[in-house]
């Protein structure tokens, strides 16, 4: 099995890569822009699990390059984990459209571009798994991060459509909805300890959802119920809240 | 964010940043006015507390493992627990391990930790082949016994005050199984336990639980646990963490009476004649890691561990005085540990020296600090010292008397531009 990790420098993605290397003895292809970091992670996985690992440069924003990037992969992946994304700065994005565009294009446009290429390959092969890491922020818009949230929301709809399309070809599409996870992205935020997972725990949830061929998984499980409540709040009330 | 050491005391507001690459760290050093590296936050007191801390937890990659020599090169944030998860099933174990495995390799170097085999194997630095250290100006120094020896001797045991440990090459020891052949010896008083330590001197590992509230003829009654790696048996992976203490227990749960009761039961449940058994590495080395966040048992005001060491001969007398004073005060602790240590090394601030070390947990309460001040005097009078990795309150003068090389440490900090740039609450209190 070969697992391609797009955005391997995200803490959750990396922890998932470790799970696959450790528990399935899968070979790993790490893709991201920061090669200094990727090469260390390559050494880490190789040292720990003795599997084949390689690092490949990948830029989510450079959609033009995506076809060549995928063509260059040998062997082709059996599992693609898409986990790149950028939280950005909401206030900056409100004031400067270029900042907003960067958030939207990284989280959404770039994801569509590369996943369409992967989907075409998996559809022909009639096998494969696509794991897309979204966010609970994509389930309801909030003033503190709605630019990010809307891009992630679009990505969630995209994944559900992709699942619908690929189901008949035996391709598994797994949507991951992380709640609070202690990662580089959330560093410095005051997260509620009891609701916050470590990346390894989130990765464990993702890996077992992969094994069980689930469609949607929340990390941790309680976020499903938290979001059920948040989504049920009527808009006339929700607009008055500061969540 | 609020941070504290493992003792949950003190708890202060800090700004924390983590890094994953050398270039990120270099930038943090350049921007921070003053900072302190922080690993897993398992030192008990204020060694890794400051207004600004740099977490190593994401700088935790394993870079190389040589299966011929057993030398592992890893980044400082890698935990001992991660090392065991990966390499114990392959037949490798840490050459030196403390009683907690959820600490980082960098932290193990910085505190120059010791384990149950100190009498034969020395401190953690014994298994360190080299270190890469980043100074606040961004320079990276390879430090070993032959290269930048001054920095090596200061960094091992230097409590993070010599810069950021980036990588360490550590030598693991081959083991035939993940089991330990353990012997349990019940000792009815202090003389008996001193004899038992001598008798089991050839055993690789030894440590004793001691009843610090027993007085009179039973003073110092103990249970010695001695062990060697088994020559046969399975190589099982370490166990997954067990249940956690979900919240701070009311401080009242631990009082003289509950501790006395616990001690009595614990002492009696052990066999009256030496008994042999085979146990797992986890239960022999890391009994407390089985219970997550056990520090909450001491209540929300937190606790401290008082760990002292006394040289062998004067030490026996000193230990009697100390145990007498503790039994009299009634300030008891569940966890009271005694161990015979081997000779001291050449590092500037490493804690161990030949003699007896005693470690006691105390919950923080008003009457505690005056008692510890009294104990300090006994320790110093008998040529002993306290362990900085556990400390939260010793005075500058107690520290300086215990660590005669402190001046060299301060000079080295000046020489490498560390004095004003890397500091913890502890370093300021101790004046180093």
């Amino acid at each position: 099995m070969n697992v391609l990790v797009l955005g391997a420098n995200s803490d959750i993605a990396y922890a998932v890569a470790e799970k696959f290397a450790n528990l399935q003895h899968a070979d790993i292809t790490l893709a991201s822009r920061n090669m200094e970091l990727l090469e260390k992670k390559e050494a880490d996985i190789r040292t720990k699990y003795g599997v084949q690992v390689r690092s490949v440069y990948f830029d989510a924003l450079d959609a033009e390059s995506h076809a060549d990037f995928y063509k260059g992969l040998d062997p082709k992946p059996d599992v693609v984990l898409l986990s790149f994304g950028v939280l950005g700065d909401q206030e900056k994005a409100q004031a400067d459209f270029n900042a907003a565009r960067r958030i939207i294009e990284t989280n959404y446009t770039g994801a569509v571009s590369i996943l369409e290429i992967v989907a075409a390959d998996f559809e022909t092969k009639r096998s494969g798994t696509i794991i897309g890491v979204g966010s609970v922020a994509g389930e309801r818009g909030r003033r503190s991060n709605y630019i990010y949230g809307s891009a992630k929301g679009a990505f969630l709809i995209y994944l559900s459509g992709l699942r619908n399309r690929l189901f008949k070809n035996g391709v598994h599409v797994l949507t991951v909805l992380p709640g609070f996870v202690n990662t580089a992205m959330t560093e410095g935020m005051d997260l509620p300890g009891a609701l916050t997972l470590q990346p390894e725990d989130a990765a464990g949830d993702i890996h077992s959802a992969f094994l069980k061929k689930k469609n949607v998984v929340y990390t941790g499980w309680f976020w499903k119920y938290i979001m059920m409540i948040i989504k049920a709040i009527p808009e006339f009330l929700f607009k008055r809240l500061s969540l | 964010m609020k941070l504290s050491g493992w003792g949950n005391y003190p708890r202060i507001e800090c700004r924390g940043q983590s890094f994953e690459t050398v270039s990120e760290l270099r930038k943090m050093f350049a921007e921070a006015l003053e900072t302190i590296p922080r690993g897993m936050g398992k030192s008990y007191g204020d060694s890794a507390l400051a207004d600004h801390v740099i977490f190593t937890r994401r700088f935790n990659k394993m870079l190389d493992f040589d299966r011929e020599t057993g030398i592992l090169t890893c980044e400082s944030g890698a935990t001992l627990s991660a090392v065991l998860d990966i390499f114990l099933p392959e037949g490798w174990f840490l050459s030196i391990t403390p009683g907690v495995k959820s600490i980082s390799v960098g932290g193990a170097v910085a505190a120059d930790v010791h384990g149950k085999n100190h009498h034969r194997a020395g401190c953690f630095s014994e298994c360190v082949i080299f270190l890469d250290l980043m100074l606040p100006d961004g320079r990276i120094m390879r430090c070993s016994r032959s290269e930048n020896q001054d920095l090596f001797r200061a960094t091992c045991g230097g409590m993070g005050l010599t810069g950021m440990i980036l990588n360490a090459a550590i030598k693991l020891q081959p083991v035939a199984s993940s089991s330990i052949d353990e012997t349990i010896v019940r000792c009815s008083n202090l003389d008996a336990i001193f004899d038992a330590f001598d008798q089991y001197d050839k055993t690789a590992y030894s440590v004793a639980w001691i009843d610090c509230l027993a007085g009179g003829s039973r003073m110092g009654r103990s249970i010695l646990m001695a062990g060697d790696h088994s020559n046969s048996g399975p190589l099982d992976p370490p166990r997954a963490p067990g249940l956690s203490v979900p919240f701070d227990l009311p401080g009242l749960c631990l009082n003289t009476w509950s501790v006395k009761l616990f001690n009595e039961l614990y002492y009696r449940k052990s066999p009256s004649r030496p008994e042999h058994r085979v146990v797992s590495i986890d239960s022999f080395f890391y009994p407390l890691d089985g219970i997550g966040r056990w520090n909450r048992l001491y209540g929300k005001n937190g606790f401290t561990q008082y760990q002292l060491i006394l040289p062998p001969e004067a030490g026996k007398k000193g230990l009697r005085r100390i145990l007498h004073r503790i039994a009299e005060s009634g300030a008891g602790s569940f966890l009271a540990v005694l161990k015979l240590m081997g000779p001291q090394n050449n590092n500037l601030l490493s804690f161990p020296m030949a003699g007896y070390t005693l470690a006691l947990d105390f919950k923080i309460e008003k009457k505690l600090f005056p008692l510890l001040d009294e104990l300090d005097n006994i320790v110093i009078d008998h040529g002993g010292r306290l362990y900085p990795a556990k400390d939260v309150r010793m005075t500058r003068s107690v520290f300086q008397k215990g660590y005669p090389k402190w001046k060299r440490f301060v000079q080295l900090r000046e020489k490498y531009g560390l004095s004003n740039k890397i500091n913890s609450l502890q370093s300021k209190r101790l004046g180093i």
Side-chain angles (χ1 to χ4, degrees):
Chain A
M1 180 189 286
N2 187 290
V3 179
L4 168 64
V5 185
L6 299 165
N9 285 329
S10 111
D11 290 341
I12 296 179
Y14 187 65
V16 176
E18 283 202 63
K19 287 276 181 237
F20 274 97
N22 185 16
L23 302 175
Q24 320 232 207
H25 213 69
D27 292 336
I28 308 289
T29 306
L30 301 170
S32 178
R33 274 182 315 172
N34 184 343
M35 295 302 284
E36 178 193 355
L37 192 46
L38 274 197
E39 276 158 22
K40 282 198 329 187
K41 292 187 171 175
E42 185 183 318
D44 186 48
I45 291 188
R46 190 179 296 126
T47 305
K48 285 179 180 169
Y49 309 109
V51 297
Q52 301 276 336
V53 199
R54 65 204 159 135
S55 306
V56 193
Y57 182 85
F58 173 78
D59 182 357
L61 282 174
D62 183 9
E64 300 287 302
S65 69
H66 290 179
D68 283 342
F69 160 81
Y70 196 76
K71 209 179 283 170
L73 296 177
D74 180 32
K76 293 279 182 281
D78 305 293
V79 176
V80 173
L81 170 70
L82 186 147
S83 172
F84 57 76
V86 52
L87 182 58
D89 181 327
Q90 171 68 25
E91 280 177 28
K92 216 184 269 174
Q94 284 168 209
D96 172 8
F97 179 65
N98 282 323
R101 181 191 307 218
R102 200 178 143 260
I103 297 175
I104 296 163
E105 291 188 349
T106 310
N107 290 302
Y108 183 59
T109 320
V112 172
S113 159
I114 184 66
L115 283 191
E116 280 306 306
I117 296 165
V118 174
D121 179 39
F122 283 9
E123 193 171 37
T124 329
K125 285 196 293 203
R126 302 183 69 84
S127 75
T129 299
I130 294 171
I131 305 175
V133 179
S135 167
V136 294
E139 294 204 294
R140 188 133 200 196
R142 294 183 299 137
R143 68 175 176 199
S144 58
N145 63 5
Y146 65 85
I147 306 269
Y148 169 78
S150 63
K152 281 293 188 188
F155 181 53
L156 295 180
I157 295 175
Y158 171 80
L159 286 174
S160 111
L162 193 64
R163 179 180 307 115
N164 190 208
R165 165 186 159 196
L166 296 176
F167 171 69
K168 64 176 190 314
N169 296 313
V171 177
H172 173 207
V173 177
L174 168 61
T175 302
V176 180
L177 290 158
F180 296 144
V181 185
N182 209 340
T183 64
M185 193 189 261
T186 57
E187 185 163 291
M189 294 184 192
D190 250 329
L191 299 179
L195 300 180
T196 305
L197 269 67
Q198 295 306 315
E200 313 73 274
D201 304 325
D205 289 349
I206 296 168
H207 182 257
S208 54
F210 160 80
L211 292 178
K212 290 180 194 150
K213 289 200 171 272
K214 283 197 176 178
N215 298 314
V216 180
V217 64
Y218 286 83
T219 71
W221 58 269
F222 43 84
W223 277 96
K224 180 175 176 178
Y225 301 97
I226 295 173
M227 291 316 295
M228 222 180 247
I229 293 165
I230 289 179
K231 283 190 285 187
I233 301 173
E235 197 65 23
F236 77 86
L237 203 60
F238 196 81
K239 71 180 178 192
R240 292 179 164 83
L241 302 177
S242 57
L243 281 171
Chain B
M1 64 183 80
K2 288 264 190 205
L3 287 179
S4 63
W6 182 241
N8 285 333
Y9 171 86
R11 205 169 168 74
I12 65 161
E13 188 61 36
C14 306
R15 211 162 67 77
Q17 285 181 289
S18 68
F19 66 103
E20 224 177 344
T21 61
V22 164
S23 35
E24 283 167 19
L25 175 65
R26 198 170 270 134
K27 201 162 148 258
M28 274 173 210
F29 266 151
E31 286 168 2
L33 285 176
E34 198 175 68
T35 187
I36 187 77
R38 181 175 167 108
M40 297 301 284
K42 290 294 194 290
S43 57
Y44 282 64
D46 52 1
S47 316
L49 288 181
D51 291 339
H52 185 270
V53 303
I54 299 182
F55 294 108
T56 62
R57 60 176 180 232
R58 297 175 64 244
F59 195 75
N60 63 351
K61 308 297 174 291
M62 298 197 191
L63 305 176
D64 183 56
F65 183 61
D66 184 332
R67 284 171 170 79
E68 297 298 310
T69 59
I71 294 175
L72 170 70
T73 309
C74 63
E75 293 179 334
S76 60
T79 60
L80 301 188
S81 170
V83 173
L84 293 176
D85 285 347
I86 303 296
F87 298 109
L88 184 57
E90 288 188 39
W92 297 96
F93 186 63
L94 297 158
S95 300
I96 281 100
T97 178
V100 176
K101 62 179 175 173
S102 56
I103 67 166
S104 67
V105 168
V109 172
D112 204 8
V113 297
H114 56 269
K116 297 176 173 58
N117 60 352
H118 187 272
H119 60 293
R120 301 183 61 83
C123 290
F124 194 81
S125 53
E126 291 303 318
C127 78
V128 177
I129 311 297
F130 68 80
L131 303 167
D132 289 327
L133 183 75
M134 189 192 277
L135 298 173
D137 60 13
R139 268 184 300 165
I140 296 175
M141 314 290 277
R142 171 67 54 102
C143 312
S144 69
R145 286 168 187 80
S146 54
E147 214 175 329
N148 294 308
Q149 205 200 87
D150 58 340
L151 277 171
F152 184 80
R153 291 295 178 205
T155 300
C156 299
M159 301 311 289
L161 297 167
T162 59
M164 179 65 80
I165 301 167
L166 296 173
N167 307 321
I170 60 172
K171 197 170 164 58
L172 306 184
Q173 59 166 324
V175 291
S177 89
S178 56
S179 310
I180 297 286
D181 293 330
E182 186 186 30
T183 306
I184 300 190
V185 187
R186 194 161 99 172
C187 304
S188 55
N189 57 37
L190 207 51
D191 284 325
I193 182 68
F194 288 145
D195 289 346
F197 270 121
D198 291 338
Q199 192 189 335
Y200 286 89
D201 183 49
K202 294 280 181 293
T203 312
Y205 302 98
S206 66
V207 72
W209 168 85
I210 180 166
D211 180 353
C212 57
L213 288 179
S217 62
R218 299 182 310 165
M219 182 202 276
R221 66 175 177 176
S222 312
I223 297 160
L224 178 81
M225 288 155 269
D228 284 301
H229 290 283
S230 303
N231 290 324
S232 60
L235 276 167
D236 291 329
R239 72 173 166 217
L243 293 176
S244 258
V245 179
F247 48 82
D248 293 321
L249 287 186
L252 274 176
C253 290
L254 280 185
N255 56 47
T256 313
W257 303 109
S258 63
V259 174
K260 265 196 172 148
L261 180 70
F262 172 84
N263 286 355
E264 189 67 38
L265 292 173
Y266 192 78
Y267 183 79
R268 289 206 187 172
K269 109 177 171 19
S270 66
S272 53
R273 290 159 187 280
E275 194 175 272
H276 301 281
R277 57 182 191 181
V278 178
V279 295
S280 72
I281 273 182
D282 269 311
S283 71
F284 185 77
F285 290 102
Y286 314 113
L288 287 169
D289 281 345
I291 312 160
R293 305 202 59 177
W294 57 265
N295 52 347
R296 288 173 164 174
L297 294 173
Y298 288 89
K300 70 171 175 8
N301 293 337
F303 74 111
T304 186
Q305 189 171 89
Y306 189 75
Q307 183 166 358
L308 59 97
I309 189 160
L310 297 174
E313 281 321 309
K316 290 185 179 175
K317 219 170 67 195
L319 272 180
R320 262 177 236 284
R321 285 184 58 192
I322 285 168
L323 286 171
H324 179 74
R325 186 65 195 90
I326 292 170
E328 194 182 68
S329 77
S333 70
F334 279 114
L335 194 79
V337 167
L338 181 69
K339 167 151 183 62
L340 177 64
M341 306 286 268
Q344 73 174 8
N345 59 29
N346 293 322
N347 301 334
L348 298 187
L349 299 183
S350 288
F351 163 71
M353 58 169 141
Y356 296 96
T357 181
L358 176 68
L360 307 149
D361 285 353
F362 294 105
K363 74 177 171 198
I364 302 287
E365 55 191 335
K366 235 194 197 145
K367 63 175 186 189
L368 176 64
F369 287 3
L371 171 68
L372 297 185
D373 288 339
E374 272 181 60
L375 299 185
D376 285 355
N377 291 332
I378 306 178
V379 171
I380 295 301
D381 284 351
H382 291 82
R385 62 190 175 208
L386 303 179
Y387 192 4
K390 309 284 176 76
D391 158 63
V392 71
R393 35 70 53 197
M394 84 168 116
T395 61
R396 199 171 280 199
S397 110
V398 168
F399 174 75
Q400 291 175 352
K401 283 176 191 149
Y403 292 87
K405 293 178 188 161
W406 70 272
K407 267 191 194 146
R408 276 170 63 193
F409 189 77
V410 170
Q411 284 159 0
L412 176 131
R413 296 237 303 145
E414 270 161 27
K415 175 178 164 193
Y416 288 101
L418 297 151
S419 317
N420 298 318
K421 195 76 190 188
I422 303 208
N423 271 305
S424 59
L425 294 187
Q426 182 179 48
S427 73
K428 291 186 173 177
R429 177 164 45 83
L430 299 181
I432 47 175

